[in-house]
């Protein structure tokens, strides 16, 4: 072997070793703490950013939208448009396709009605009947809707977590998840996740004692990273049960900046419009003057008993509306009962929080349905979908959101994201377009002195 050949071999081996060292390694277990429930419910109810992240470990929607606009298959093997007015989903098998179709039809049923059904409104029959052919689901559109694929990536449209093989991990015991080696999009880097549910103090204690490597739901603003905030909270009200100037009373009494800073866990932003600031960056409107004094009234405000932020915000609204002549009784409820009261229109006031999709058109559809203005979907959505250019569609949505706001019985309050804290040895953190962390993409860095490389 010549000297030149020997040098070439040395350089090749060195570069190969460096490349292997830079690749994520498979294996290991990650200790994770969160301040969510011990078990997540059905996808349409597990819609806080934290619960959607936990659900996504076990069950995924058909796709995942990324911040750059790309759509990656998740539960589906393939998404395609055989014609401009149809979307074809190819799943792993007929059982998965059937479970997904049944989950979608449940959203539109009277007993399980959800505002996320608006994501499927452009589908013929509003997805009340979703047919499958083997492992294939065909969706035919009632009108042009170029954003359907991105809408289908919403976590609320995932299959139930009870169905096996629907996510990158599977539960093998309480708080223990193992990687699905046959996950269609590639097995996770980690072999195992060890989950611990706790509260805010527990998160701080576990982190300071280095007992965990990943924390989800952290509200500290100094040592965390977060995705885009799309979890929007509104004050919904029943116009027929309240005076005509009720919106003016609320808008004049509530300072969104103070409400978000003092009563809502970070990361959070004031939301002055029907869509979150990430989708609608227009500045806040001036606060109106208080309405003229009127006869005192007693009203009831329903809120989600599982969310501490909603309790604090409800109590603040109670105080501020008292200044406008309203005595507000507070009634905490489980989320399922809260949604059932919403579906029946059985409330005076309600704090309604929704994980809005990161696309203006589908987000406006969910907001209008949540406001009880489903009648507007058939008017607004076809005109939006008729615009082929994405920028033109988004501009149209923002214009319509501004125009419709005075007639929609929702007062937007704030939008929240998910705070995440990582130990130095954990790498690969990315957020998808929904603002949720991609946990199955995380990996552990090799410890010093161990061999590098591993399976590519």
């Amino acid at each position: 072997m010549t000297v030149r050949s020997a040098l070439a071999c040395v350089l090749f081996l060195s570069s190969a070793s460096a490349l292997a060292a830079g690749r994520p390694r498979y294996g290991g277990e990650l200790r994770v703490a969160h301040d969510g429930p011990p078990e997540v419910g059905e996808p349409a109810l597990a819609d806080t950013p934290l619960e959607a992240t936990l659900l996504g470990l076990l069950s995924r929607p058909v796709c995942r939208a990324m911040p750059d606009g790309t759509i990656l298959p998740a539960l589906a093997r393939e998404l395609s448009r055989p014609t401009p007015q149809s979307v074809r989903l190819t799943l792993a098998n007929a059982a998965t396709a059937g479970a997904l179709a049944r989950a979608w039809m449940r959203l539109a049923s009277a007993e399980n009605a959800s505002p996320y059904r608006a994501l499927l409104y452009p589908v013929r029959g509003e997805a009340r009947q979703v047919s499958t052919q083997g492992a294939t689901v065909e969706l035919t559109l009632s009108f042009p809707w170029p954003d359907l694929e991105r809408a289908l990536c919403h976590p609320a449209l995932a299959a139930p977590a009870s169905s096996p093989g629907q996510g990158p991990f599977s539960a093998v015991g309480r708080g223990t998840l193992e990687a699905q080696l046959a996950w269609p999009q590639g097995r996770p880097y980690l072999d195992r996740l060890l989950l611990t549910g706790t509260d805010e103090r527990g998160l701080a204690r576990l982190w300071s004692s280095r007992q965990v490597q990943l924390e989800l739901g952290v509200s500290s603003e100094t040592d965390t990273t977060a995705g885009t905030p799309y979890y929007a909270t509104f004050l919904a009200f029943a116009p027929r049960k309240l005076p005509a100037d009720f919106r003016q009373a609320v808008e004049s009494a509530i300072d969104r900046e103070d409400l978000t800073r003092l009563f809502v866990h970070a990361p959070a932003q004031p939301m002055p419009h029907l869509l979150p600031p990430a989708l609608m960056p227009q500045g806040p409107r001036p606060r109106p003057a208080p309405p003229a004094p009127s006869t005192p009234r007693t009203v009831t405000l329903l809120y989600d008993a599982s969310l501490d932020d909603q309790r604090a915000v409800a109590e603040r609204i109670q105080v501020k509306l008292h200044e406008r002549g309203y005595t507000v009784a507070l009634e905490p409820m489980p989320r399922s009962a809260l949604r059932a009261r919403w579906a029946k229109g059985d409330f005076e006031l309600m704090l309604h929080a929704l994980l809005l999709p990161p696309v203006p058109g589908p987000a406006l559809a969910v907001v209008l349905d949540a406001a009880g203005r489903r009648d507007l979907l058939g008017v607004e959505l076809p005109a939006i979908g008729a615009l082929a250019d994405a920028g033109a569609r988004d501009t149209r949505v923002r214009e319509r959101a501004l125009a419709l706001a005075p007639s929609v019985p929702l007062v937007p309050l704030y939008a929240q994201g998910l705070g995440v804290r990582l130990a130095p040895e954990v790498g690969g953190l990315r957020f998808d377009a929904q603002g949720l962390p991609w946990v199955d993409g995380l990996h552990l860095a090799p410890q010093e002195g161990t061999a590098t490389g591993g399976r590519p």
Side-chain angles (χ1 to χ4, degrees), residues 118-119 145 147-148 150-151 356-367 381 397:
L119 297 170
W145 192 246
D147 292 323
L148 180 63
R150 290 196 287 175
L356 297 181
V359 190
L364 181 62
V366 173
V367 169
L381 299 195
V397 170

Side-chain angles (χ1 to χ4, degrees), residues 335-421:
R335 193 173 306 156
S336 58
L338 198 67
R339 291 280 169 83
R341 294 281 290 270
W342 164 81
K344 297 176 183 177
D346 182 18
F347 64 93
E348 292 174 297
L349 301 177
M350 175 186 293
L351 286 178
H352 204 167
L354 298 163
L355 185 61
L356 297 181
V359 190
L364 181 62
V366 173
V367 169
L368 292 178
D369 201 348
R373 295 303 309 273
R374 192 168 176 80
D375 58 302
L376 290 175
L377 298 183
V379 177
E380 300 294 338
L381 299 195
I384 293 168
L387 300 172
D389 179 72
R393 288 197 304 276
D394 294 350
T395 299
R396 166 91 180 184
V397 170
R398 295 182 184 108
E399 292 172 349
R400 296 307 300 154
L402 285 173
L404 293 169
S407 63
V408 171
L410 291 177
V411 177
L413 298 175
Y414 54 90
Q416 292 172 284
L418 179 64
V420 177
R421 186 156 51 192

Side-chain angles (χ1 to χ4, degrees), residues 94-150:
T96 302
L100 186 68
R102 290 190 295 273
W104 288 355
M105 288 187 288
R106 275 173 56 86
L107 293 180
S109 65
E111 61 274 15
N112 296 287
S114 166
Y116 298 114
R117 64 188 175 182
L119 297 170
L120 298 170
Y121 183 85
V123 177
R124 183 175 296 172
E126 302 174 22
R128 291 190 179 93
Q129 292 294 328
V130 178
S131 61
T132 64
Q133 292 185 340
T136 301
V137 178
E138 294 272 357
L139 302 176
T140 303
L141 298 178
S142 298
F143 51 85
W145 192 246
D147 292 323
L148 180 63
E149 286 87 343
R150 290 196 287 175

Side-chain angles (χ1 to χ4, degrees), residues 8 21 56 68 93 104 151 183 234 258 306 310 322 343 356 398 419:
D68 63 0
N93 49 56
W104 288 355
W183 177 238
F234 302 86
D258 286 348
S306 67
Q310 285 206 9
H322 188 267
L356 297 181
R398 295 182 184 108

